[in-house]
Amino acid sequence: MKPDRILIISVFIVASCGLAYELIIAALASYLLGDSILQFSSIIGLYLFAMGIGAHLTKYIRDEDALSRFIEIELLVGIIGGVSALVLFVVFGFSAAPFRTLLYALVLTVGIVVGMEIPLVMRVLNQRQAEFKDLVAKVLTFDYLGALAVSLLFPLVLAPRLGMARSALLFGLLNAAVAVLTARAFKSQLPRYRAIQTRGAIVLFGLLTAFAAANRITFLAEQSYFGDPVVFESHSPYQRLVVTKWHDDIRLYINGNLQFSSRDEARYHEALVLPAMQMAGEEAKNVLILGGGDGLAAREVLKYPQVQGITLVDLDPQMTGTFQSSTELSRLNAGSLTNPKVRVVNDDAAKWLEQAQEKFNIIIIDLPDPSNFSLGKLYSVPMYRLVARHLAPGGKIVVQSTSPYFAPHAYWSVVATLEAAGLATAPYHVYVPSFGEWGFVLAAAEPDFPVPAQFSVPTRFLNADTAAEMFRFPPDMARRDVQPNYLNTQILVHYFEQDWRNVIR
């Protein structure tokens, strides 16, 4: 293959790698730190700024050194970008304190060296008598094509199949391979060709070794910051799932946030499901669950013999598939996700509601907390109006609504949002040892919420006394004067962030 053609193809590869590092670091930061919009925005902004610095620095490289510097930079990008995700995993595992500093230092460093690549390629090609207009057209075309390729491959293939650490190492290997192949194509112009090839071989070997050991290293890092032994972990295009087990305590984490502990999840799921089901009585025949991909809410619903069908809508097939196929996890949810009464739909809750025509007697909303804007929209006035359109006459809605103690402004904003959507509400709360005080809201077209005096199904926690206590709020959890959550303001996300920031302080 002609040397010029190799350089043009290398543009496609280096563009893919450059965007890949940006996406991987941003996704990893959102997994570990939360608030995906802030992480992606700040990292992409800093990365583009750093690329500008790198492009500027190339003017200090002499034309006769452009080729050798391009090869050396490819090896450097391969090393730094390739190990970036692995290093971040390890550092976060041992100490979260320097994580942000290292995160932004890596973004700045990778961005600078990536920003030097394309200007150097163009200078090398220009020295080879290429027409400037053809040169610019070819380089930018392959640059943009490479960005398109990785933007599709990363969420659909690489993140769910390889994970963050191995994906970064794969692109590091590609950068190093570009360096080695470019050096071979232009060896007659490189006085230190053998030294470059030796360095290239060392870098390739080191990255291959790291790639082989990456899963083991990240597993050990996760053990350190989850505390309990990790028995299952996976990436999906939507989130990172980790399941830990210590003796009889099974815990699920999504993006590093605890979702349940098997020791006390019955308190949460009985409180979420049973009051609404008991109030509806024999009319609770057709039930919709939004979220709840672990099947634990469905387990509680299936205790009632009058239930004829449950539709469970959860975005992530990795989540529902894991809790269907794992023997231990399906034992925890009593096989609810494979019960013939349960229909599992993997789709966005809002999109599914827009297309569905069914009415439900009970609608259970068991979605993650509104910690970012993509989740906040699912707690908005338009969303609750959409939910209400699917409620059968006399039906009940119940929403998990974060903590009225730790996040009181967020909790009462959920209540205000349901009321702004035209629904009557009945707020309540329960103490769950793994989380502390946790809040829920019952909603319906009419204010008809008789507190159950008894439960007609087996319970581990709820009875007449505990049910009555749930609907009473002490002064430190009393209602706050807050605004409802509309899509154009997403005030709920700001309330949530501020409340939990105050807790951390």
Side-chain angles (χ1 to χ4, degrees):
M1 187 180 293
K2 293 181 179 180
D4 289 3
R5 190 167 296 176
I6 289 177
L7 275 178
I8 291 295
I9 292 173
S10 74
V11 170
F12 177 88
I13 297 173
V14 300
S16 301
C17 296
L19 181 60
Y21 299 134
E22 182 180 3
L23 291 173
I24 289 167
I25 294 174
L28 185 59
S30 68
Y31 279 0
L32 298 176
L33 299 176
D35 194 355
S36 58
I37 291 179
L38 174 63
Q39 304 309 329
F40 271 89
S41 178
S42 60
I43 287 170
I44 288 172
L46 180 60
Y47 194 83
L48 292 174
F49 169 72
M51 287 178 67
I53 295 175
H56 176 77
L57 291 176
T58 58
K59 76 175 188 176
Y60 299 107
I61 297 174
R62 297 180 304 174
D63 286 344
E64 56 268 30
D65 295 332
L67 177 61
S68 60
R69 292 292 178 266
F70 169 73
I71 294 169
E72 291 168 355
I73 284 169
E74 284 306 290
L75 291 175
L76 188 60
V77 174
I79 295 169
I80 300 173
V83 302
S84 58
L86 196 59
V87 169
L88 288 171
F89 255 117
V90 171
V91 170
F92 189 83
F94 288 104
S95 174
F99 178 81
R100 288 182 185 272
T101 303
L102 178 62
L103 171 69
Y104 292 115
L106 276 172
V107 172
L108 189 65
T109 304
V110 174
I112 288 172
V113 289
V114 167
M116 300 176 76
E117 294 173 318
I118 299 302
L120 288 175
V121 168
M122 293 181 71
R123 285 172 61 179
V124 173
L125 288 170
N126 193 43
Q127 291 169 17
R128 299 178 65 81
Q129 314 305 317
E131 278 287 333
F132 184 72
K133 62 178 182 179
D134 293 338
L135 168 64
V136 172
K138 284 182 180 179
V139 169
L140 293 183
T141 297
F142 278 84
D143 185 19
Y144 297 144
L145 284 174
L148 173 64
V150 79
S151 67
L152 296 174
L153 282 172
F154 175 70
L156 298 177
V157 179
L158 297 174
R161 293 184 180 275
L162 292 181
M164 299 299 156
R166 297 184 88 189
S167 292
L169 286 162
L170 174 63
F171 286 104
L173 285 165
L174 289 175
N175 276 124
V178 164
V180 171
L181 292 175
T182 303
R184 182 171 296 177
F186 291 91
K187 62 181 179 181
S188 61
Q189 301 176 37
L190 295 169
R192 302 182 62 194
Y193 168 69
R194 289 189 178 278
I196 290 173
Q197 285 293 82
T198 301
R199 288 201 296 272
I202 293 171
V203 171
L204 283 170
F205 177 78
L207 290 172
L208 280 169
T209 303
F211 185 88
N215 284 351
R216 179 62 180 166
I217 295 171
T218 56
F219 178 82
L220 292 173
E222 285 179 337
Q223 295 282 24
S224 68
Y225 61 80
F226 285 116
D228 298 336
V230 175
V231 295
F232 174 83
E233 59 87 20
S234 72
H235 286 277
S236 78
Y238 313 106
Q239 56 200 1
R240 178 169 176 76
L241 306 176
V242 173
V243 178
T244 67
K245 183 179 180 183
W246 177 252
H247 297 301
D248 61 343
D249 186 15
I250 297 171
R251 299 188 175 210
L252 170 68
Y253 296 83
I254 295 180
N255 296 344
N257 298 313
L258 179 65
Q259 303 301 300
F260 71 76
S261 164
S262 60
R263 287 184 175 175
D264 56 24
E265 58 81 14
R267 283 181 170 236
Y268 174 96
H269 290 100
E270 287 183 8
L272 172 70
V273 173
L274 301 192
M277 292 293 295
Q278 203 68 35
M279 289 177 191
E282 292 301 316
E283 296 302 314
K285 296 177 180 178
N286 197 18
V287 178
L288 172 65
I289 301 175
L290 301 179
D294 51 33
L296 298 173
R299 177 198 66 197
E300 297 300 316
V301 174
L302 286 168
K303 289 179 178 179
Y304 289 85
Q306 71 267 32
V307 172
Q308 296 174 357
I310 300 171
T311 301
L312 188 149
V313 182
D314 191 279
L315 180 63
D316 192 354
Q318 185 80 265
M319 177 79 161
T320 53
T322 299
F323 279 82
Q324 283 174 321
S325 59
S326 167
T327 302
E328 194 154 37
L329 296 177
S330 63
R331 187 185 304 120
L332 192 62
N333 63 33
S336 63
L337 297 182
T338 55
N339 189 291
K341 290 184 178 182
V342 178
R343 174 170 64 115
V344 176
V345 179
N346 293 121
D347 201 353
D348 177 88
K351 290 181 180 177
W352 185 85
L353 286 169
E354 288 172 357
Q355 299 168 359
Q357 302 298 320
E358 299 170 71
K359 299 273 188 180
F360 300 90
N361 308 109
I362 299 290
I363 299 177
I364 298 165
I365 304 178
D366 189 21
L367 296 167
D369 287 339
S371 58
N372 58 57
F373 294 115
S374 60
L375 289 169
K377 72 177 183 180
L378 300 176
Y379 290 78
S380 65
V381 172
M383 175 67 176
Y384 290 144
R385 286 176 179 159
L386 182 60
V387 170
R389 291 208 296 266
H390 292 272
L391 193 64
K396 298 285 188 292
I397 299 168
V398 60
V399 184
Q400 93 76 15
S401 310
T402 193
S403 172
Y405 183 81
F406 296 110
H409 297 88
Y411 175 79
W412 291 108
S413 178
V414 175
V415 177
T417 304
L418 286 160
E419 292 171 348
L423 296 162
T425 63
Y428 64 105
H429 64 100
V430 66
Y431 179 72
V432 182
S434 295
F435 300 120
E437 288 291 339
W438 210 256
F440 307 89
V441 186
L442 276 163
E446 300 295 334
D448 179 26
F449 305 104
V451 178
Q454 63 180 3
F455 291 89
S456 58
V457 297
T459 65
R460 290 168 55 187
F461 167 69
L462 280 182
N463 58 27
D465 293 335
T466 54
E469 188 64 28
M470 289 195 305
F471 288 85
R472 291 194 283 264
F473 283 81
D476 59 356
M477 291 193 289
R479 184 157 186 166
R480 307 297 173 95
D481 183 16
V482 291
Q483 300 175 37
N485 187 44
Y486 289 93
L487 285 176
N488 64 325
T489 58
Q490 289 268 34
I491 189 68
L492 174 60
V493 178
H494 297 292
Y495 284 143
F496 183 87
E497 290 177 350
Q498 186 60 49
D499 282 342
W500 285 103
R501 193 178 297 123
N502 290 336
V503 171
I504 294 170
R505 286 176 187 170

